Amino acid sequence: MYAKLIEKQEAAGAVVLKGPAYKQISEEVEALFNVLPAWDEQGRKEAIQVDTVLQAKVIAELLPSIAAVRNIAPRLDKMHKKALEPDPDLQTYGPVMKEKVLKLHERYLLLATLAESLLAYYDEAAGKAQEDADTAAAEVQQQQVKEIERANKAEQDAIVCEKREKEAQRAKEAAERAVALEIESKNAKL
């Protein structure tokens, strides 16, 4: 029974835990309890606010763990439902196994709560980091626009100055011609 399931999981490239469903789920829950609490430390929470490399690490390590927590839910819910069966004829588990499943379910709920709180926190932190990056990019773009405007204004000022110089030169030449004509007309009268 488990052999075919394991073959399918191995073919899909999944990490395969062998044994009954309870054993598989309990091992997964314990493994995740070894990973997720480390991400709940205050130092890491503060570091992710400023460290983009750590943000990438969170994406690489934390998100698959949270996905694994979510993937446990349907299987464990099924077991929990069977453990809560009130009809003695329909009960799947004995009293010892029933107690184990109920304790595992409680432990899983703690894990799921932790996973969701971490996801919410790191989503918020990533959103803030993205917002900060967008703000910085907008400021750089505004500075570039201002530099372009300054360059355009300087170019226009240079063109205006050049036109004034040309007009002044023309006026000077015209004045010189006028003086030269006046001198010529005085000399012609003489």
Side-chain angles (χ1 to χ4, degrees), residues 9 47 56 67 70 75 92-93 117 128-130 158 166-167:
Q9 289 175 341
R70 290 179 177 169
R75 296 181 292 152
T92 306
Y93 304 122
S117 70
K128 185 180 180 305
Q130 183 63 44
K166 285 181 181 179
E167 287 175 8

Side-chain angles (χ1 to χ4, degrees), residues 119-139:
L119 182 62
Y121 178 82
Y122 286 114
D123 275 350
E124 180 183 324
K128 185 180 180 305
Q130 183 63 44
E131 185 178 304
D132 291 346
D134 291 346
T135 302
E139 288 174 0

Side-chain angles (χ1 to χ4, degrees), residues 32-45 61-62 114 118 122:
L32 290 167
F33 256 113
N34 292 330
V35 173
L36 291 181
W39 288 103
D40 198 29
E41 296 171 3
Q42 190 61 31
R44 283 193 177 184
K45 285 184 171 182
E61 291 181 17
L62 183 63
L114 174 62
L118 286 172
Y122 286 114

